Amino acid sequence: SSGINAEYGNDKKEIEILGYAENFRRQFVHLYRDRKPLFLSPPNEHTIEKLVCTTLRPTLLPYKELYDWDGCSQFVSDYLTYTPLECPNELPEILSSPTEVLSKQKGNCFDFSTLLCSLLLGAGYDAYCVCGYATREVTLMDQSRSDCPLLKKRDAVVKEEGKTKENKYDVKPPRDLRSKYLIKMEERKVKERLDEEQRIKDLELAKIAELEKPAPDELYGMRVHCWVLVLAGKREVPENFFIEPSTGTSVEVAEYLGIESLWNSTNYWVNMQDCSHGISEMSFDLGDIARWEFMFPHNEKPLLALPGEEDFDIAPLEEEEEETEEETSMPTSWVEEIVLPLEDLQRRCPQGKKTVLYKQAKYEIFAEYLMQDGMIARLTEYSDSALTQPVKCMEWFRHRVDKLETRETDQVTSKVTETFGPGRQRSLRQHLYYSTHTGSEATRTMNFDSLARTDGLKCREETPTVLTEHYKDRDDFLEKRVVNYTKRVKKFGPAEGNEKPINQITEYYARDSSLAADDDIAELTFLLNEEKMFLKHHLQDERIISSTHEYLKPVQSEDKGQVQITLDMVSSFQVERQAKSPKLIHIYNTIVNLMGREEGCVETVRASEQEVRDILEGRMQEELTTELSVSIYDTARNDTAKKRREELERKRKDDEARREEMELDYLAPFLARIGDPSQMTADLAQQLRDDCLKDLKDRLVDMANLIQGRFEKETQQLQWKQNWYQQNQTTMTKEEEEQYVSYCSEAMFKIHILEERLNRHKELAPQKYVALEAKLMGDARLAEYLS
């Protein structure tokens, strides 16, 4: 039945199978008159009667996103628009083919299930379409009272991370010497307080649940629905589970109230079990003929023998059963091949976007490249059921040049967490900051990929007073550096630098097994304000304290440029009593080495501060001008981008040609001055040349005089203001001081700009003069007479 017009008619084999199905339906109605009619052979979109098994078309699409069940179910729920059944307690009148459903991008629960089951069968799952009954919320796809699945996953991960394993080798806490009676009374008070808080909380939750409780459903237990069942076994599925195709998630058994039948592309089974108490206790062993009645004898499931069946001899019936199986084999699907273009897969939803409302949450989905910032999904949590007070927002991005993948914003605390993919400049992987505190000195945390950085930086934590950097796998065994800052000293006048004053730098090192413990530095501290250096070594074996040394920074000699070292500059503690006192030359070398390391640490800290500023400026620019990357394999978008570049290049050339046409004739004023002669002579050409050059020279001199005059005026005003400040600084108010500092900064800026302009004008003036002379010599009207 895979011919060209299979959807518009039935061949001989299909007619025969439909006859078997009709015979099966009559026997079922005769034996079970109180059961609802079976969904066996509804008409397709062309009003042609088709068996539901042949409407399934197992297909494996060439996309890795559609190889697992969660990817297939999520695609079906996002790509299609759900429409409830016209009559909620009746079976649908038609069952459209999966290709028709894909083309229309909408359908009911049976259309959703048929398409999803076809994809799952093609991917190797043991999947079945299930016809039964469900709750009102499921049949109407009302998720406003359900928790968002993404929030459930996140809470499960947080709970798993919160677990701590007990270690029997941990140090036991000290013995509590308080009175047991007092401890018991305190525990009782705490328990009573917690019980009271829990009681109040339970009452509030009960009130909220009562308010959110849906109205009674008159059709409870009678609402027809179709979903998908995946049995354990194939594709390493550990246990049976249901998939709700309208939402694309695996759901709990309580959402479904009963099952009439189920089918796949090879057979049809009717449920013979009692569903009056739900389907949680049902058996899905389709080989159990006491619980499941199958239509065709070629049941692929192993059959369970009925009690007493072993007493009968069924050997004579084997040949007859084989002949029957050959005659009643399932025909191939009449559905056309399911084809999904890449553009449709990337579009993801109708019109490229979709919104799903959950309990106190809203989930928005966007197609790739639809949003200018590359956003593909956004989850917003709210504190109320009316979805008016947001408390947290989670955004997902894709194809961004800056490698941004997720952004989580806490609306209550203003905390923002940005996560980046690999390959970003400076190997930044995560950035935590507060949106209410901006600037390079605000509280923030930056996590890096230590393997991709040459310095091994793993994490940088920054507050207004402390900078902490964590390192990993460094050759010098450095693990952490802590920098403490002091408050800036208030200075008047233009600020020369904006660096925070450093008070203390402490570096922590891991153990280097190649060195002795007394030679291996564990902690190195530089007290810059106190002019001290503190050095602590690692612990020796079987020791509880380590050796320490404290050095005073010497004063450098002015005449020779050398440092003066004395024994008073060193204060040491040696663990080993037999250790010899260091010689003066050793102390000298150690102090010089530590002073060099201190300078290197200060330079490293300043480089870290500059890197933070560069990262923040780069992030600001990236958010202002977001760029999306296009894969080289995305031919459609690459062609579009290429055409756009060609169009922009063509417009640029047209604009240049237009400007050249509209450019004024530079000789026109000088020709008008001598009366626009009809014929050019050598004398006139020389006169035009001299006039043009003289005019340019006059304008260049005037411009230089103008800039020089403004420069001298600004300089005189600044000098007068500084003299005024020297005379009145003792009686000035704070506001006057701030105004003076602001004026000095602005005046210095203007003077610097004027000086730069004057110097540039002096450099360019001769070049402009030579360029005009060359242009005059090359002009077609003058070249013949000037050469």
Side-chain angles (χ1 to χ4, degrees):
S1 61
S2 58
I4 298 177
N5 296 322
E7 57 187 6
Y8 295 98
N10 292 318
D11 61 8
K12 182 179 178 181
K13 186 66 176 177
E14 287 182 308
I15 295 175
E16 183 181 0
I17 288 296
L18 289 174
Y20 284 119
E22 177 63 20
N23 185 34
F24 183 84
R25 186 193 64 80
R26 290 178 181 177
Q27 294 183 37
F28 180 81
V29 172
H30 177 72
L31 295 175
Y32 306 99
R33 298 182 182 275
D34 57 337
R35 293 280 294 268
K36 289 289 184 71
L38 298 177
F39 192 65
L40 269 175
S41 53
N44 63 2
E45 60 269 21
H46 303 291
T47 66
I48 304 299
E49 189 177 358
K50 296 287 184 179
L51 187 65
V52 290
C53 300
T54 60
T55 307
L56 295 174
R57 176 69 184 260
T59 303
L60 178 62
L61 294 174
Y63 306 113
K64 64 179 181 179
E65 296 90 344
L66 304 181
Y67 185 66
D68 296 323
W69 72 266
D70 50 351
C72 292
S73 58
Q74 197 62 50
F75 164 74
V76 171
S77 64
D78 292 344
Y79 190 74
L80 305 180
T81 301
Y82 183 78
T83 56
L85 296 174
E86 295 182 2
C87 187
N89 58 343
E90 297 292 339
L91 295 170
E93 297 181 356
I94 64 172
L95 179 62
S96 302
S97 64
T99 54
E100 180 70 14
V101 175
L102 277 177
S103 63
K104 289 185 176 180
Q105 284 193 261
K106 66 177 182 179
N108 54 39
C109 56
F110 287 84
D111 300 328
F112 273 63
S113 300
T114 301
L115 175 59
L116 177 57
C117 191
S118 299
L119 297 179
L120 293 177
L121 290 173
Y125 288 95
D126 192 9
Y128 302 83
C129 290
V130 183
C131 178
Y133 307 96
T135 60
R136 175 178 55 189
E137 288 72 23
V138 173
T139 57
L140 299 179
M141 205 180 76
D142 181 9
Q143 303 180 77
S144 58
R145 294 183 177 88
S146 303
D147 294 329
C148 180
L150 295 175
L151 297 179
K152 292 181 181 178
K153 293 180 181 178
R154 187 187 65 185
D155 295 341
V157 172
V158 172
K159 185 178 291 187
E160 191 69 24
E161 292 178 353
K163 294 183 179 179
T164 57
K165 295 183 179 179
E166 295 183 358
N167 190 354
K168 64 179 181 179
Y169 298 105
D170 288 343
V171 178
K172 295 182 179 180
R175 186 177 179 181
D176 193 353
L177 301 179
R178 293 179 299 168
S179 169
K180 294 183 178 180
Y181 175 77
L182 295 178
I183 295 175
K184 188 175 181 180
M185 295 301 295
E186 290 179 2
E187 292 178 351
R188 180 182 297 179
K189 291 180 179 179
V190 172
K191 185 176 183 300
E192 291 177 355
R193 179 173 56 82
L194 294 177
D195 291 343
E196 181 65 19
E197 292 177 356
Q198 185 64 33
R199 187 183 66 81
I200 296 174
K201 185 177 180 180
D202 292 341
L203 289 176
E204 293 177 355
L205 293 176
K207 291 179 180 178
I208 294 174
E210 186 65 25
L211 294 174
E212 295 179 351
K213 187 177 180 180
D217 185 11
E218 298 178 353
L219 299 177
Y220 182 81
M222 296 184 292
R223 293 181 178 272
V224 177
H225 192 62
C226 185
W227 64 95
V228 175
L229 165 68
V230 179
L231 295 183
K234 294 183 179 180
R235 288 292 304 271
E236 300 180 357
V237 176
E239 58 183 2
N240 308 335
F241 66 95
F242 295 115
I243 302 177
E244 176 53 45
S246 61
T247 61
T249 57
S250 60
V251 298
E252 299 177 356
V253 178
E255 301 290 342
Y256 302 120
L257 307 178
I259 294 178
E260 287 288 350
S261 59
L262 56 85
W263 64 92
N264 62 5
S265 59
T266 60
N267 212 332
Y268 190 95
W269 290 266
V270 179
N271 178 33
M272 309 302 296
Q273 304 172 70
D274 182 19
C275 298
S276 57
H277 300 289
I279 64 175
S280 58
E281 302 297 330
M282 281 186 57
S283 170
F284 290 94
D285 183 2
L286 302 183
D288 189 352
I289 58 178
R291 292 181 172 88
W292 294 95
E293 184 70 33
F294 52 87
M295 179 184 300
F296 300 104
H298 53 276
N299 188 11
E300 58 186 12
K301 302 295 180 180
L303 299 180
L304 294 178
L306 291 174
E309 187 177 350
E310 58 275 6
D311 299 334
F312 297 95
D313 184 12
I314 59 174
L317 302 176
E318 290 182 354
E319 296 181 0
E320 182 179 353
E321 288 182 357
E322 292 178 357
E323 294 177 359
T324 306
E325 289 182 7
E326 292 179 358
E327 293 177 358
T328 59
S329 60
M330 185 67 66
T332 57
S333 177
W334 59 272
V335 179
E336 294 183 358
E337 181 182 4
I338 300 177
V339 178
L340 180 67
L342 179 61
E343 295 79 11
D344 293 346
L345 177 66
Q346 293 177 344
R347 191 166 63 243
R348 201 174 177 188
C349 350
Q351 288 82 43
K353 55 185 177 180
K354 185 177 182 179
T355 302
V356 184
L357 301 180
Y358 295 98
K359 181 181 178 181
Q360 297 184 355
K362 180 173 68 173
Y363 185 50
E364 300 169 90
I365 307 171
F366 305 97
E368 297 180 6
Y369 298 102
L370 178 67
M371 308 296 288
Q372 293 183 353
D373 58 355
M375 186 188 302
I376 59 172
R378 177 169 54 207
L379 175 63
T380 308
E381 299 179 51
Y382 297 86
S383 59
D384 59 332
S385 301
L387 306 184
T388 58
Q389 300 177 3
V391 295
K392 189 174 292 185
C393 180
M394 186 72 180
E395 299 171 329
W396 289 265
F397 302 88
R398 192 174 293 174
H399 304 300
R400 285 184 57 135
V401 175
D402 58 6
K403 305 299 181 181
L404 179 63
E405 292 183 345
T406 62
R407 181 192 291 124
E408 183 176 357
T409 305
D410 194 326
Q411 307 287 357
V412 179
T413 62
S414 302
K415 182 180 179 181
V416 181
T417 304
E418 296 178 337
T419 305
F420 301 88
R424 179 181 167 81
Q425 190 179 9
R426 297 186 178 90
S427 304
L428 180 64
R429 298 305 300 271
Q430 193 178 57
H431 185 197
L432 289 80
Y433 62 96
Y434 292 88
S435 58
T436 54
H437 300 81
T438 58
S440 58
E441 299 181 11
T443 301
R444 67 182 69 255
T445 301
M446 293 183 179
N447 295 318
F448 300 87
D449 185 359
S450 59
L451 298 177
R453 290 181 63 102
T454 56
D455 58 356
L457 180 62
K458 183 181 179 181
C459 177
R460 178 182 289 133
E461 301 172 355
E462 186 177 9
T463 65
T465 58
V466 180
L467 173 65
T468 305
E469 294 180 331
H470 300 267
Y471 297 89
K472 184 179 180 182
D473 299 332
R474 281 177 61 110
D475 295 336
D476 57 358
F477 296 93
L478 177 63
E479 288 187 333
K480 186 170 71 171
R481 179 185 291 116
V482 181
V483 184
N484 295 296
Y485 298 96
T486 58
K487 294 183 179 180
R488 288 189 175 90
V489 180
K490 184 177 180 181
K491 295 182 180 179
F492 299 106
E496 297 180 357
N498 196 29
E499 297 178 342
K500 295 188 291 185
I502 300 175
N503 178 36
Q504 176 179 327
I505 302 176
T506 304
E507 293 183 336
Y508 300 88
Y509 293 85
R511 182 74 172 92
D512 184 2
S513 58
S514 63
L515 299 176
D518 282 343
D519 297 330
D520 191 11
I521 299 175
E523 184 177 332
L524 183 59
T525 303
F526 301 105
L527 302 174
L528 277 71
N529 292 341
E530 300 179 12
E531 299 290 333
K532 293 182 181 180
M533 298 174 289
F534 181 79
L535 191 150
K536 182 179 179 181
H537 293 280
H538 280 281
L539 283 172
Q540 298 183 18
D541 295 337
E542 300 179 357
R543 293 290 189 274
I544 62 174
I545 194 170
S546 58
S547 302
T548 59
H549 303 279
E550 183 177 344
Y551 299 92
L552 296 176
K553 291 179 64 175
V555 179
Q556 191 170 0
S557 178
E558 297 180 359
D559 52 352
K560 298 182 180 180
Q562 298 179 352
V563 293
Q564 301 292 332
I565 302 296
T566 62
L567 294 176
D568 298 337
M569 297 180 178
V570 184
S571 175
S572 302
F573 170 77
Q574 295 286 349
V575 177
E576 296 293 340
R577 295 182 179 179
Q578 296 80 9
K580 297 180 180 179
S581 299
K583 296 182 180 180
L584 193 61
I585 184 65
H586 177 72
I587 296 175
Y588 174 81
N589 293 332
T590 303
I591 291 179
V592 171
N593 181 29
L594 292 178
M595 291 175 64
R597 296 181 70 163
E598 180 181 328
E599 293 179 2
C601 284
V602 174
E603 292 178 359
T604 303
V605 171
R606 297 307 183 193
S608 299
E609 296 172 357
Q610 184 61 40
E611 183 181 28
V612 171
R613 290 192 289 268
D614 294 342
I615 290 175
L616 296 180
E617 291 176 3
R619 287 292 304 127
M620 187 180 300
Q621 188 64 27
E622 289 166 355
E623 290 300 325
L624 291 176
T625 58
T626 305
E627 296 183 13
L628 302 181
S629 61
V630 180
S631 173
I632 59 175
Y633 302 104
D634 194 346
T635 56
R637 289 188 175 85
N638 277 327
D639 291 343
T640 305
K642 183 178 179 181
K643 291 179 181 178
R644 177 170 176 78
R645 287 195 298 270
E646 293 176 353
E647 181 68 18
L648 293 176
E649 183 67 19
R650 185 184 62 80
K651 288 183 178 179
R652 186 184 64 81
K653 292 181 178 180
D654 293 344
D655 293 341
E656 289 181 357
R658 195 177 300 109
R659 282 196 298 269
E660 291 179 357
E661 293 176 358
M662 296 174 62
E663 187 177 6
L664 296 176
D665 185 6
Y666 64 96
L667 290 178
F670 302 98
L671 290 172
R673 191 181 303 172
I674 61 176
D676 288 328
S678 59
Q679 188 174 1
M680 185 63 63
T681 63
D683 295 337
L684 290 176
Q686 187 65 34
Q687 183 181 353
L688 285 173
R689 174 184 175 278
D690 296 340
D691 292 344
C692 286
L693 293 176
K694 183 178 180 302
D695 184 76
L696 175 63
K697 182 178 180 180
D698 294 341
R699 286 191 290 111
L700 292 175
V701 172
D702 293 341
M703 179 61 70
N705 293 334
L706 179 62
I707 299 175
Q708 182 69 30
R710 291 180 179 176
F711 176 79
E712 294 175 354
K713 180 180 178 181
E714 292 290 340
T715 305
Q716 291 175 1
Q717 291 180 353
L718 179 61
Q719 291 177 353
W720 180 87
K721 194 72 173 179
Q722 289 176 342
N723 295 333
W724 174 83
Y725 173 75
Q726 294 294 334
Q727 297 173 2
N728 302 283
Q729 60 178 345
T730 57
T731 60
M732 292 176 62
T733 63
K734 185 177 180 181
E735 294 181 356
E736 291 176 341
E737 290 181 358
E738 293 179 352
Q739 292 176 0
Y740 169 72
V741 172
S742 176
Y743 172 80
C744 289
S745 178
E746 185 177 356
M748 290 293 292
F749 176 75
K750 291 181 179 179
I751 292 172
H752 176 70
I753 294 298
L754 290 171
E755 185 178 5
E756 290 289 334
R757 290 183 60 186
L758 183 61
N759 294 333
R760 182 172 177 80
H761 181 75
K762 292 180 180 179
E763 293 177 1
L764 296 179
Q767 300 177 13
K768 293 180 179 179
Y769 188 87
V770 173
L772 178 59
E773 187 176 11
K775 189 173 184 180
L776 291 170
M777 296 295 293
D779 192 288
R781 294 166 291 182
L782 307 178
E784 180 181 357
Y785 305 99
L786 296 178
S787 60

